[in-house]
Amino acid sequence: MAAAAASPALKRLDLRDPAALFETHGAEEIRGLERQVRAEIEHKKEELRQMVGERYRDLIEAADTIGQMRRCAEGLLGAVRATDRYCARLRRAGSAAPRPPRAPQPQPSQEEFYSMAAQIKLLLEIPEKIWSAMEASQYLHATQLYLLCCHLHSLLQLDSSSSRYSPILSRFPILIRQVAAASHFRSTILHESKMLLKCQAVADQAVAEALCSIMLLEESSPRQALADFLLARKAAIQKLLNQPHHGAGIKAQICSLVELLATTLNQAHALFYTLPEGLLPDPSLPCGLLFSTLETITGQQPTGKGIGVLQEEMKLCSWFKYLPASIVEFQPALRTLAHPISQEYLKDTLQKWIHMCNEDIKTGIATLLMYVKSMKGLAGIRDAVWELLTTESTSHSWDMVCGRLLEKPLLLWEDLMQQLFLDRLQTLTKEGFDSISTSSKELLVSALQELESCTSTSPPNKHIHFEHNMSLFLWAESANDLPSDAAWVSVANRGQLGRSGLSMKAQAVSPCVQTFSSALDSKLKVKLDDFLTYLPSGDSSLSKEVTPKQAKNCAFDRYGDAGTVQEMLRTHSVACIRHITDYIRAELQSIEAAVQGQQDALGSGKLHAALFMARLCQSLAELCPHLRQCILGQSGSSEKPVRDSRALKKQGKGKPQEVVPTQAQWQEVKELLLQQSVMGYRAWSSAVVHVLAHGFAQSLLLDDAGSILATATSWDELEIQEEAESGSSVTSKIRLPTQPSWYVQSFLFSLCQEINRVGGHALPKVTLQEMLKSCMVQVVAAYEKFSEEKQMKKEGAFPMTQNRALQLLYDLRYLNIVLTTRGEEVKCARSKQDSRIEKVTDDLEALIDPFDLDVFTPHLNSNLHRLVQRTSVLFGLVTGTENQFTPRSTAFNSQEPHNILPLASSQIRFGLLPLSMTSTRKAKSTRSIDSKAQVVPPALSRADDPAHPGSLFRQLVSEENDSSTSSLFKLGWLSSMTK
């Protein structure tokens, strides 16, 4: 014990280094360690002695056993040799002895003895024959042999009642063991026969023989045989459904189940159904096989006897002739007659069995389908079931079998499996689109967080920088602006997925929006490709190859639920988009509430996030073609959405058009996305208008002389001829404003800059209209406030002069022309706004002399029209196409030069370009231009900057030798490249 207790302590010590041991321990400790080591050594020696002693004893015992076996083998070998020598002597003695005379014929008593001996010989050989039949799966023959064995027992009086006093058992004791062995055959044959009933790949004849075996051994009726058959098949169904499932084995299990059901009904017809009297049997559709087999075995055929039990090879034996006739001609017999089963009873029993198995089958198949994780897997199982039921062996006379047995067709797919497959499809679709919406939401959240976290001071990545200023992306050249096949593939023949970089820039689709849309579209493509495996192919040639005869021979219409599946796909696709748009709506509402009323909102990350979501919703329908295909079905992939509007325009306006429900649903999704896009742009536009209008109002309300002079612009001096009272012509000079005030120009140019910064050419029309309307409302409010302050006549305020009132009136009318849209749909909404403008105009005109106002008005209108034409390019994003391309006024004389390019006959993509040339205009009134007062707007001073937008086109124009307008419109090819 001490050594055992000390061994762990010794193991923890490092005894290999004595120097270290003496350094860390004292003398007494060293002595104690020495004692422990010596004790451990002695303990190990003792263990070694005991181990060697025990093994030595085992070795000695093994040697003794081997020696004894050798002696026993030698003795046995000697006995065999002695027996061999003795037999050799007997053979020699027998050959030398004389042949005895022929024995006389046996007497009748000897005949009985030989008969009994032959029966005993047959009884001893029957067990081997039974086992051979069992191994060959000949259970009916084994049953016949067993019943013959029982018959022999009764003849030899070996049954349990008289075996105790049987004289044969006293003479032949081996028969006692033979009787005991034969008693086990009945249970074995019954077990194997019932196991065979549970197998599905078994011939009808084998099933009939197994049922006959059960009926003969259990002395049962055909109705009981039917019950045994159906119970065995129900157990087989349950065993098949409870097998372990592994991936691809699901299809095999379900196909085996369907095959088992079909085989059960076919075999029930072949075994138990009997034709009514007067009907001829069909060779291809057997029936009544059980009863014919019973008649053959039991010898109940009216034409002759049945097949004997003893086979031909046994009849060749020499002792066979001594067997009595009752054994030679033995045939099994039933206790009661096997009456055929009535059709009514057969129908009721089979219907009850189908109803009983129905719930188990549905539950089992539903459990199996839980392991199928894709529509492709479900389609593979469905197609395998369809091929199985459509094969000639299964579908042959199936309707006739069901009509005879059930009096109605049994639809295995429609009644048992179709709804289960649809339920699993519903679950997989919901899980798939929930995953898509969740991952898209996470991607959107991360993009919004990145946009809001990056400020102007922190260096964002390139794509985030483009989100902050879209004009940098629009005017930056990249390698993928033109597709590689742009030279030989036209725009009409280019697919939706082959969009070029210029087309993205033409639609103001930023790289972040492209990334998000591409990610969403790729997920939708994977889901759609998986779905299409379950739906019929879109190739019409394949469907034409199926003849009506082939369609009739099909077990079921495997694409009959295609409409339901497409509706399922459509519903979940719309729900996925709604989930994304609901999140976008909530984010936009929070952003709109956060930036409302803030003066520094233009540089905030929340506004960039709102613009990103607006662009995303605006372009999602175009950049995700698989979303369109999910909602419209396979027809949506072949139609080009660009041509939809053109086709609608070509249709008659007066004819009511039928709206396809799928098209209506797709339009609802597009409207939903457009609403969210407009909502995002509205949040941005309201913040922009609030900030710019606030600065405009502050500049307008400045009342000191320095501020007024700082915002003043140059006026033109005109010579007019007036008729005096005497009838003579009087020439006088007047001065009129030709440019708006600087804060007006700054306001409009800043507005255009903000619109250009977000890609103004792609903004929705309704957003621009709302933005201009809101700007005009703020401008009119500022002028109204200005009028109110002037009417209060504050002390020390700068007096309102006629020239200032004329400039303010000119500014207001110019703003009204530029900021007022010309759409027909907004005329009603402008009526209230026009009344406010008229009131402010009347207040300003009241400050001008009426006589001067009458003289100034026509010239003022001419200046206004000329100014609008001049600034149509500079403020093109604000004025819009409806103002930019209006017909030219007749106020201009054909001989009057101007500095604006003539308008094209058709609207072009790019705006008009100003030419740098000056001249002196002369009309009815001669006007002199003061060159010193001519001030170039600060915004135009950046025209020479090569990095400024539009410099490329100015260089192209300057390279032309002549100044004709045809050189400009040679650039029209650029417009087609951006489609």
Side-chain angles (χ1 to χ4, degrees):
M1 293 295 294
S7 59
L10 289 177
K11 291 178 181 179
R12 292 193 297 268
L13 294 175
D14 189 4
L15 302 179
R16 291 175 296 179
D17 190 1
L21 194 63
F22 277 93
E23 289 176 359
T24 56
H25 297 79
E28 293 298 329
E29 293 178 350
I30 295 296
R31 292 189 184 95
L33 290 175
E34 180 186 4
R35 288 192 296 270
Q36 291 179 5
V37 171
R38 292 186 183 278
E40 184 71 19
I41 292 172
E42 293 298 329
H43 178 69
K44 295 296 181 183
K45 287 181 179 179
E46 183 62 28
E47 286 184 354
L48 182 61
R49 292 190 195 99
Q50 293 178 2
M51 182 179 66
V52 172
E54 291 176 357
R55 298 295 181 270
Y56 184 69
R57 285 193 297 271
D58 294 340
L59 182 62
I60 292 175
E61 291 176 358
D64 294 341
T65 304
I66 292 172
Q68 186 179 0
M69 291 173 62
R70 183 175 65 254
R71 290 190 297 272
C72 182
E74 290 175 352
L76 181 61
L77 186 60
V80 171
R81 291 195 185 101
T83 304
D84 191 17
R85 289 193 299 270
Y86 182 73
C87 291
R89 286 197 301 271
L90 287 178
R91 282 194 299 272
R92 289 195 297 271
S95 61
R99 186 180 298 273
R102 187 174 181 180
Q105 294 294 329
Q107 301 298 322
S109 59
Q110 289 180 341
E111 288 285 347
E112 294 178 358
F113 176 77
Y114 288 157
S115 174
M116 185 177 298
Q119 294 178 39
I120 293 174
K121 174 66 174 176
L122 178 61
L123 185 63
L124 292 176
E125 289 190 1
I126 281 180
E128 183 180 354
K129 300 293 183 181
I130 292 177
W131 285 120
S132 299
M134 294 285 290
E135 290 177 358
S137 299
Q138 299 175 357
Y139 302 120
L140 181 57
H141 183 58
T143 303
Q144 291 175 298
L145 291 174
Y146 170 74
L147 294 177
L148 177 60
C149 183
C150 294
H151 182 63
L152 285 172
H153 287 174
S154 62
L155 289 178
L156 296 175
Q157 297 180 356
L158 299 179
D159 53 345
S160 59
S161 60
S162 60
S163 61
R164 183 177 302 177
Y165 306 102
S166 175
I168 298 177
L169 289 179
S170 62
R171 293 185 180 183
F172 301 98
I174 194 173
L175 295 179
I176 298 176
R177 182 175 299 178
Q178 197 71 16
V179 171
S183 62
H184 299 291
F185 283 129
R186 182 179 184 274
S187 60
T188 304
I189 296 173
L190 281 175
H191 175 73
E192 294 297 330
S193 300
K194 291 182 178 179
M195 290 300 295
L196 184 137
L197 295 180
K198 296 180 181 180
C199 300
Q200 64 185 44
V202 181
D204 298 345
Q205 183 62 40
V207 177
E209 293 180 359
L211 286 174
C212 288
S213 299
I214 295 173
M215 292 178 65
L216 291 173
L217 293 176
E218 293 184 347
E219 298 180 353
S220 57
S221 63
R223 292 190 175 187
Q224 183 62 37
L226 175 61
D228 292 341
F229 173 71
L230 295 179
L231 287 177
R233 291 305 169 91
K234 184 177 184 298
I237 290 173
Q238 292 177 346
K239 180 182 178 182
L240 190 60
L241 292 175
N242 293 329
Q243 285 181 358
H245 351 277
H246 304 286
I250 304 297
K251 179 167 67 175
Q253 284 183 258
I254 294 180
C255 289
S256 300
L257 176 64
V258 173
E259 187 177 5
L260 180 59
L261 289 173
T263 305
T264 300
L265 282 183
N266 285 325
Q267 290 182 348
H269 177 271
L271 296 174
F272 300 100
Y273 183 78
T274 54
L275 286 173
E277 295 182 1
L279 290 181
L280 296 177
D282 185 2
S284 62
L285 195 63
C287 59
L289 193 58
L290 175 66
F291 303 103
S292 62
T293 305
L294 278 175
E295 290 175 357
T296 303
I297 296 302
T298 58
Q300 297 176 0
Q301 295 178 345
T303 58
K305 294 184 179 181
I307 301 175
V309 176
L310 300 179
Q311 298 178 351
E312 294 297 330
E313 65 269 11
M314 192 175 291
K315 295 179 181 179
L316 298 178
C317 298
S318 60
W319 47 268
F320 185 79
K321 59 184 178 180
Y322 298 110
L323 290 174
S326 62
I327 296 177
V328 174
E329 299 176 358
F330 173 79
Q331 286 182 341
L334 289 173
R335 180 173 296 182
T336 58
L337 293 177
H339 295 288
I341 301 175
S342 63
Q343 295 183 6
E344 190 66 27
Y345 180 82
L346 183 61
K347 181 189 72 173
D348 294 341
T349 304
L350 288 175
Q351 286 180 350
K352 290 179 182 178
W353 179 80
I354 292 173
H355 179 72
M356 181 173 56
C357 296
N358 193 12
E359 291 301 324
D360 293 340
I361 292 173
K362 288 184 177 180
T363 305
I365 292 179
T367 305
L368 289 176
L369 293 181
M370 292 294 293
Y371 295 91
V372 182
K373 301 298 183 182
S374 65
M375 285 75 168
K376 184 178 181 180
L378 290 176
I381 297 174
R382 179 203 59 191
D383 294 342
V385 172
W386 180 81
E387 292 175 359
L388 176 65
L389 295 179
T390 310
T391 53
E392 192 67 26
S393 60
T394 305
S395 62
H396 178 65
S397 304
W398 173 254
D399 294 336
M400 186 179 294
V401 169
C402 294
R404 289 179 175 180
L405 295 179
L406 305 174
E407 297 182 356
K408 63 177 183 179
L410 178 61
L411 306 175
L412 296 178
W413 170 256
E414 289 84 348
D415 295 342
L416 293 179
M417 289 180 284
Q418 185 176 24
Q419 189 58 43
L420 299 176
F421 274 67
L422 290 177
D423 293 342
R424 183 57 183 163
L425 270 175
Q426 178 80 13
T427 303
L428 289 176
T429 307
K430 186 178 184 304
E431 292 176 354
F433 278 98
D434 287 347
S435 174
I436 291 175
S437 60
T438 303
S439 60
S440 300
K441 181 180 175 181
E442 292 175 354
L443 184 62
L444 185 59
V445 169
S446 63
L448 294 179
Q449 289 177 351
E450 192 173 4
L451 280 171
E452 294 180 4
S453 61
C454 293
T455 60
S456 59
T457 57
S458 61
N461 60 45
K462 187 177 181 181
H463 291 174
I464 298 299
H465 198 38
F466 288 159
E467 289 293 335
H468 289 182
N469 191 351
M470 274 294 293
S471 60
L472 298 178
F473 167 69
L474 297 178
W475 295 98
E477 295 183 2
S478 59
N480 61 345
D481 280 347
L482 289 179
S484 57
D485 56 354
W488 54 85
V489 178
S490 63
V491 178
N493 296 329
R494 191 174 297 133
Q496 295 182 6
L497 300 179
R499 294 186 178 92
S500 62
L502 277 181
S503 65
M504 294 292 100
K505 292 177 181 179
Q507 300 175 21
V509 180
S510 63
C512 291
V513 174
Q514 295 179 37
T515 302
F516 182 90
S517 302
S518 175
L520 178 59
D521 189 60
S522 61
K523 296 172 187 174
L524 290 175
K525 180 181 183 301
V526 172
K527 198 66 183 175
L528 182 62
D529 291 343
D530 194 15
F531 244 98
L532 291 180
T533 58
Y534 199 86
L535 296 173
S537 173
D539 190 0
S540 59
S541 61
L542 296 178
S543 60
K544 291 180 181 178
E545 294 177 359
V546 181
T547 62
K549 183 178 179 181
Q550 292 174 342
K552 184 179 179 181
N553 293 333
C554 293
F556 59 89
D557 184 8
R558 53 177 168 173
Y559 299 123
D561 52 2
T564 305
V565 176
Q566 287 181 348
E567 183 63 29
M568 190 186 304
L569 173 63
R570 188 178 303 115
T571 302
H572 286 283
S573 301
V574 173
C576 176
I577 295 301
R578 288 188 182 277
H579 181 76
I580 296 175
T581 53
D582 288 344
Y583 174 77
I584 291 177
R585 182 188 300 110
E587 287 294 321
L588 289 176
Q589 289 175 353
S590 63
I591 290 174
E592 192 171 3
V595 302
Q596 188 175 7
Q598 293 186 2
Q599 295 299 323
D600 56 346
L602 296 183
S604 65
K606 291 186 176 297
L607 216 55
H608 299 314
L611 287 170
F612 167 73
M613 289 184 283
R615 296 189 195 103
L616 177 64
C617 294
Q618 184 182 15
S619 57
L620 197 61
E622 295 293 332
L623 296 183
C624 293
H626 292 96
L627 173 62
R628 174 189 175 89
Q629 192 173 351
C630 285
I631 297 177
L632 294 182
Q634 294 183 357
S635 60
S637 59
S638 59
E639 299 175 2
K640 293 187 177 181
V642 181
R643 299 182 179 178
D644 292 346
S645 59
R646 299 178 183 175
L648 291 175
K649 290 179 181 179
K650 292 180 181 180
Q651 296 173 352
K653 297 182 179 178
K655 299 179 182 180
Q657 299 295 329
E658 295 182 0
V659 180
V660 183
T662 55
Q663 290 284 352
Q665 206 160 9
W666 172 241
Q667 291 299 328
E668 289 179 4
V669 172
K670 292 173 67 177
E671 289 294 332
L672 178 64
L673 292 172
L674 182 59
Q675 289 175 5
Q676 303 310 313
S677 175
V678 171
M679 184 178 178
Y681 281 123
R682 186 180 294 118
W684 162 79
S685 63
S686 60
V688 169
V689 170
H690 176 76
V691 173
L692 296 182
H694 180 72
F696 174 82
Q698 284 184 341
S699 300
L700 177 64
L701 297 177
L702 292 175
D703 208 12
D704 56 295
S707 301
I708 296 173
L709 290 176
T711 58
T713 55
S714 64
W715 287 30
D716 277 357
E717 183 178 308
L718 300 177
E719 293 182 357
I720 60 174
Q721 293 180 355
E722 298 175 337
E723 187 176 355
E725 293 180 357
S726 60
S728 59
S729 178
V730 179
T731 302
S732 59
K733 292 183 179 181
I734 60 173
R735 289 181 175 274
L736 290 177
T738 58
Q739 294 183 8
S741 301
W742 284 120
Y743 56 84
V744 174
Q745 297 185 38
S746 176
F747 170 71
L748 292 177
F749 188 73
S750 299
L751 184 62
C752 290
Q753 277 187 319
E754 294 299 329
I755 296 175
N756 181 67
R757 185 176 286 112
V758 301
H761 62 280
L763 283 179
K765 184 177 180 181
V766 62
T767 300
L768 281 175
Q769 291 176 350
E770 290 179 357
M771 192 173 188
L772 297 181
K773 181 181 177 182
S774 179
C775 285
M776 197 61 205
V777 170
Q778 298 291 338
V779 166
V780 173
Y783 274 97
E784 287 176 348
K785 187 176 181 181
F786 177 79
S787 299
E788 292 176 359
E789 291 184 357
K790 289 303 176 182
Q791 290 176 3
M792 293 174 61
K793 296 181 179 180
K794 296 181 181 179
E795 295 183 2
F798 192 82
M800 175 61 71
T801 62
Q802 178 174 316
N803 288 345
R804 188 182 179 193
L806 194 61
Q807 181 68 51
L808 291 174
L809 181 61
Y810 187 80
D811 295 344
L812 180 59
R813 292 183 61 186
Y814 175 68
L815 287 172
N816 187 28
I817 294 174
V818 172
L819 298 179
T820 303
T821 57
R822 298 293 185 265
E824 293 292 333
E825 64 276 5
V826 295
K827 285 187 176 180
C828 297
R830 284 169 31 208
S831 58
K832 184 178 179 180
Q833 182 69 24
D834 290 341
S835 61
R836 297 177 59 190
I837 296 175
E838 290 177 1
K839 184 177 181 302
V840 176
T841 303
D842 293 341
D843 293 341
L844 292 176
E845 288 179 350
L847 301 176
I848 304 173
D849 183 80
F851 175 76
D852 293 342
L853 184 61
D854 292 338
V855 176
F856 295 160
T857 299
H859 303 287
L860 202 63
N861 292 335
S862 177
N863 289 348
L864 275 173
H865 186 76
R866 189 178 295 111
L867 177 64
V868 170
Q869 292 290 339
R870 285 177 177 176
T871 58
S872 61
V873 174
L874 184 62
F875 303 142
L877 291 175
V878 174
T879 57
T881 57
E882 64 274 3
N883 288 344
Q884 182 176 347
F885 297 103
T886 52
R888 304 195 60 171
S889 175
T890 56
F892 288 100
N893 193 346
S894 60
Q895 300 177 355
E896 180 183 5
H898 47 77
N899 67 342
I900 296 179
L901 286 175
L903 296 178
S905 59
S906 61
Q907 177 176 340
I908 59 176
R909 183 174 296 274
F910 299 100
L912 298 178
L913 304 175
L915 297 179
S916 56
M917 58 180 294
T918 57
S919 63
T920 306
R921 298 184 180 87
K922 291 185 179 180
K924 291 182 181 180
S925 59
T926 305
R927 178 172 54 175
S928 61
I929 300 175
D930 188 0
S931 59
K932 295 182 180 180
Q934 183 71 27
V935 181
V936 180
L940 297 179
S941 62
R942 300 173 58 190
D944 297 331
D945 185 7
H948 189 265
S951 60
L952 172 64
F953 303 102
R954 282 192 296 275
Q955 294 172 11
L956 290 173
V957 173
S958 62
E959 288 175 3
E960 296 290 337
N961 295 328
D962 56 337
S963 59
S964 61
T965 59
S966 60
S967 62
L968 171 66
F969 298 108
K970 290 178 181 178
L971 302 178
W973 60 273
L974 285 172
S975 62
S976 64
M977 290 164 54
T978 59
K979 293 181 180 178

